[in-house]
Amino acid sequence: MLDLKNLRINPEPVRDSLARRQADPTVVDRLLNLDEEHRSCQTRVDQLRMERNQASKEIGNLKKQGQDASAQMEAVRKITEETKAVEERMMACEDERKELLMNIPNTLDLSVPTGKSEDENQEVRKWGSPADFGFEAKAHDDLGTALNIMDFERAARLTGARFVVMKGLGARLERALANFMLDHNTGRGYTEISPPAMVNRETMTANGNLPKFEEDLFALNFKDFFLIPTAEVPLTNLHRSEILEKEDLPKYFTAHTPCFRAEAGAAGRDTRGIIRLHQFAKVELVKIVEPESSFDELEKMVADSESLLQALGLPYRVVLLCSGDTGFNASKTYDIEVWFPSQGKYREISSCSNCTDFQARRGMLRYRPEAGGSTAFPHTLNGSGLPIGRTLAAVIENFQQSDGTIRIPDVLQPYMGGANLIV
């Protein structure tokens, strides 16, 4: 959520950011008009209350003197009616203002390139070279089905489309990836967290998933709970409504959780395989840091995600998202895209974002820059470190052999009981 006080003083950066996002910048004017009306109503209510108090005193004095106070009583009645009407309009303005403010995306950092879609994202660097197999590369789902480590048919029977049953060494490889990633991340200073996979509406709202992305979430008919779309949601809310001290920062968290997404906005995309499932596992990275260091921390987070892919030996590239492709909560985002041989292209596997104070403000997460001083909002960052399914798919495709078997990357073999091959 943006800072309304700053928006009143300097609305142009927000207008410019909305225009660069291909969004309607006039929402800022609607918001400011509502804000002005809300404040005018508040001023009028204060005036009316003073008038009513004064008239009430006059009524008391007149009655003490045995004089007629009917005129003053009529004045109080009219003041009370007007006060009620103005208060109702003030509350309506407040509700409309809040709704608009909750739906305005974060302001883009000036370093974000202007563009309409992912086609205008900027490549930053590449690592590794795609392997020349000497044979036609197969897709991960074909390989997984042939090796009997993936079962889409039984998953569809159990639940429906976009689910998978992992079996045997496939299930073990999935578990190995999670353990490897957690060990790797904690070795780089992240604290492992095991959060709930269900959260309440307040948590989803503070994170920025509600109200804008409700159609993409799995809501439960139980106490207004939601299944998490990513561990970012509970991790960024761990200290919601708290005041941290300067020495408490930075905080680095990592978590392995199931994730649930309805993918309402992705109909028809990636219907095969395990690239885009309704349920998947992911190891997430989250940081809570001081504002002055947040963009440096973003670069470090990208490096942390890259180091996982380097350890696995998976070719990838890093791209800086353009304005039209940057997410609602983010001020700046890098995507890391891993090479998929069967498709002959790079596909997104990690997204690392600096959300500045946008989420902290929604969740009233504050800290004291100086002991005993006033509070400020820290910056929050999040990144995939990494999604298990997409990483598993990339491993299967990049380590396939001509006979259809899969070599297991060296760093995963200790987690696989020493197995080096899936046959």
Side-chain angles (χ1 to χ4, degrees), residues 317-352:
R317 69 172 186 165
V318 178
V319 297
L320 174 60
L321 299 197
C322 72
S323 57
D325 200 32
T326 302
F328 178 81
N329 291 328
S331 177
K332 182 177 183 178
T333 298
Y334 290 100
D335 272 3
I336 304 175
E337 301 176 346
V338 72
W339 178 256
F340 274 84
S342 70
Q343 301 179 31
K345 64 180 181 181
Y346 293 95
R347 297 292 307 271
E348 183 225 324
I349 197 168
S350 176
S351 187
C352 298

Side-chain angles (χ1 to χ4, degrees), residues 157-276:
R157 193 184 308 157
L158 290 171
T159 312
R162 294 199 177 183
F163 291 88
V164 66
V165 171
M166 299 300 300
K167 301 164 63 177
L169 287 179
R172 184 157 188 173
L173 182 59
E174 191 174 48
R175 177 160 50 95
L177 280 165
N179 288 332
F180 159 68
M181 291 174 190
L182 288 171
D183 288 348
H184 186 91
N185 293 340
T186 53
R188 294 176 79 91
Y190 291 84
T191 299
E192 184 177 351
I193 303 291
S194 182
M198 291 188 295
V199 296
N200 57 32
R201 181 171 289 273
E202 185 180 3
T203 298
M204 279 291 189
T205 302
N207 180 257
N209 279 275
L210 291 177
K212 187 173 179 62
F213 301 110
E214 187 154 3
E215 67 172 3
D216 289 321
L217 302 173
F218 281 106
L220 303 178
N221 293 323
F222 178 72
K223 295 185 178 179
D224 208 17
F225 283 2
F226 296 83
L227 296 174
I228 61 171
T230 165
E232 172 202 339
V233 175
L235 293 181
T236 55
N237 276 271
L238 276 179
H239 294 283
R240 187 179 75 227
S241 301
E242 295 182 21
I243 299 176
L244 304 175
E245 299 301 328
K246 180 183 175 70
E247 56 267 25
D248 294 327
L249 302 180
K251 287 186 176 293
Y252 296 176
F253 299 129
T254 187
H256 168 230
T257 65
C259 304
F260 305 88
R261 296 183 187 177
E263 299 285 5
R269 295 180 59 190
D270 297 315
T271 54
R272 282 190 53 179
I274 58 174
I275 299 296
R276 196 181 295 275

Side-chain angles (χ1 to χ4, degrees), residues 24-182:
D24 181 9
T26 62
V27 68
V28 174
D29 301 301
R30 296 201 300 274
L31 175 63
L32 292 176
N33 288 337
L34 280 168
D35 180 57
E36 179 61 32
E37 185 178 358
H38 178 271
R39 288 189 290 160
S40 296
C41 287
Q42 182 65 69
T43 299
R44 181 57 182 157
V45 166
D46 292 342
Q47 291 173 341
L48 288 169
R49 286 172 179 167
M50 290 177 61
E51 291 174 12
R52 185 173 60 191
N53 290 340
Q54 183 61 38
S56 296
K57 288 180 180 179
E58 290 179 10
I59 291 171
N61 291 333
L62 289 170
K63 286 185 175 181
K64 285 180 182 179
Q65 298 169 13
Q67 299 182 25
D68 181 22
S70 57
Q72 287 76 10
M73 292 174 68
E74 176 64 16
V76 168
R77 186 187 66 79
K78 290 181 178 180
I79 290 171
T80 300
E81 287 182 353
E82 184 180 353
T83 301
K84 181 181 179 182
V86 176
E87 284 179 333
E88 287 177 352
R89 180 55 192 160
M90 182 174 70
M91 287 187 289
C93 287
E94 184 175 3
D95 289 342
E96 292 178 56
R97 182 182 68 176
K98 183 178 180 180
E99 183 178 358
L100 281 179
L101 194 58
M102 293 289 277
N103 282 283
I104 295 177
N106 200 352
T107 303
L108 295 168
D109 186 67
L110 294 177
S111 64
V112 173
T114 299
K116 294 182 179 180
S117 70
E118 62 183 19
D119 296 332
E120 295 173 84
N121 293 340
Q122 293 184 359
E123 183 176 289
V124 177
R125 58 183 169 270
K126 287 181 177 178
W127 184 92
S129 299
D132 182 6
F133 292 123
F135 58 88
E136 184 177 354
K138 295 180 179 179
H140 68 275
D141 51 314
D142 290 333
L143 289 161
T145 301
L147 290 167
N148 198 29
I149 60 173
M150 294 181 188
D151 194 329
F152 295 96
E153 183 179 340
R154 286 186 172 87
R157 193 184 308 157
L158 290 171
T159 312
R162 294 199 177 183
F163 291 88
V164 66
V165 171
M166 299 300 300
K167 301 164 63 177
L169 287 179
R172 184 157 188 173
L173 182 59
E174 191 174 48
R175 177 160 50 95
L177 280 165
N179 288 332
F180 159 68
M181 291 174 190
L182 288 171

Side-chain angles (χ1 to χ4, degrees), residues 383-415:
S384 305
L386 299 160
I388 306 299
R390 290 193 180 194
T391 307
L392 187 147
V395 166
I396 288 174
E397 290 206 10
N398 282 276
F399 286 86
Q400 63 181 291
Q401 301 188 111
S402 59
D403 61 357
T405 59
I406 310 297
R407 288 190 299 110
I408 297 172
D410 292 345
V411 293
L412 296 181
Q413 291 178 21
Y415 299 93

